[in-house]
Amino acid sequence: MRRLGCFLLSLLMLAAASGPARADFVKNFNEWQRLGPDGQAAYAMAIFDVMTVFVDGDQYVAARAMGLRACGMSLQLKASMVAQTINKFYADHPEARVATPFFAFNSYLERGACSPFINEARKEMGLPPMKAPPVPAAEQ
């Protein structure tokens, strides 16, 4: 447990040193790969955690957060599973390796495996279902 705590503290310090908090300080597949399995799991779970935060007054963000929470509980998601999903996106879409891990998360979890849960929350709130995101084209 102490080793995990030190690792998470190191990751937090790295994130703080990179500037303002953002979900995209890892810019592409190559930078994602450099994190290694433990770093990928921590980064992926941080994305998931950030996306499950409610924003007062924004029904779409609230529906996404509620849907992701329900998805996480139903699928019993663990950090390594979220990281594997991001790796799967990059493997399935090599042309999209210029995209951030956040985009990969959004494509395969938020708008993929977790979309039924999010759309259910949106339906309960009287919101339309979300649309699938486009896959980014490779840089020319």
Side-chain angles (χ1 to χ4, degrees), residues 44-45 48-49 51-52 63-79 81-82 85 105 108-110 112-118:
M45 203 63 210
F48 188 87
D49 288 346
M51 299 298 284
T52 61
R64 180 189 64 216
M66 289 188 303
L68 284 173
R69 286 179 183 184
C71 178
M73 289 187 298
S74 178
L75 300 179
Q76 298 180 344
L77 289 178
K78 296 181 177 25
M81 295 165 70
V82 179
T85 303
F105 170 90
Y108 269 26
L109 270 175
E110 181 178 347
C114 292
S115 64
F117 299 93
I118 296 169

Side-chain angles (χ1 to χ4, degrees), residues 47-135:
I47 292 173
F48 188 87
D49 288 346
V50 166
M51 299 298 284
T52 61
V53 173
F54 288 81
V55 174
D56 189 34
D58 190 328
Q59 290 182 317
Y60 293 94
V61 173
R64 180 189 64 216
M66 289 188 303
L68 284 173
R69 286 179 183 184
C71 178
M73 289 187 298
S74 178
L75 300 179
Q76 298 180 344
L77 289 178
K78 296 181 177 25
S80 61
M81 295 165 70
V82 179
Q84 287 172 357
T85 303
I86 292 170
N87 281 317
K88 174 106 174 89
F89 172 86
Y90 284 130
D92 291 350
H93 301 284
E95 74 283 0
R97 290 183 175 186
V98 298
T100 64
F102 176 79
F103 185 90
F105 170 90
N106 183 272
S107 296
Y108 269 26
L109 270 175
E110 181 178 347
R111 296 183 185 261
C114 292
S115 64
F117 299 93
I118 296 169
N119 281 332
E120 182 61 30
R122 288 174 73 129
K123 181 179 174 184
E124 290 173 7
M125 296 175 75
L127 301 171
M130 62 183 172
K131 298 176 184 173
V135 175

